[in-house]
Amino acid sequence: MTTCGPVTKSLLLLAVVVALTGQGSADEKLSDCCKKVARNLITETIVDYIEQKKILPCVNAIIFKMESGRSFCFKHDEPWVRKKIRQLRATKRAALASGPSLL
């Protein structure tokens, strides 16, 4: 009789976690995954983003996280979206380069 090794158990657990975790939204608001993207610009402050790859029914999208805690899906290849991603990356790099905060 064979037993299930630790590696197999870990892979099984990982598969279950991945299957249960969502990262996008239907319409504009975040829930399971982005199935549609917003076409309009937003005025809220964007603090982070997630890149979502197309795995049906989800679409290629950028999920922007707002300062308010809300998240919205946008078309990944829009010029303003790409520009905002560059700005967010630069802000993160600058924060990392400045070192840890004493707070």
Side-chain angles (χ1 to χ4, degrees), residues 17-80:
V17 169
V18 168
L20 295 176
T21 304
Q23 67 164 319
S25 92
D27 291 329
E28 300 169 13
K29 196 143 168 65
L30 191 65
S31 62
D32 293 332
C33 73
C34 298
K35 295 175 186 170
K36 290 195 246 178
V37 292
R39 301 276 183 216
N40 51 331
L41 294 174
I42 52 174
T43 57
E44 287 189 60
T45 302
I46 300 170
V47 295
D48 203 3
Y49 72 97
I50 298 172
E51 293 183 47
Q52 176 182 281
K53 301 295 181 194
K54 180 179 180 180
I55 300 175
L56 294 177
C58 306
V59 297
N60 280 333
I62 298 298
I63 304 167
F64 282 133
K65 296 187 177 278
M66 308 300 152
E67 192 172 54
S68 66
R70 297 174 13 165
S71 298
F72 295 94
C73 304
F74 292 94
K75 195 170 179 192
H76 70 286
D77 57 356
E78 288 285 329
W80 77 269

Side-chain angles (χ1 to χ4, degrees), residues 1-18:
M1 177 160 57
T2 61
T3 60
C4 194
V7 172
T8 304
K9 288 180 183 177
S10 296
L11 290 174
L12 180 59
L13 179 61
L14 178 62
V16 169
V17 169
V18 168

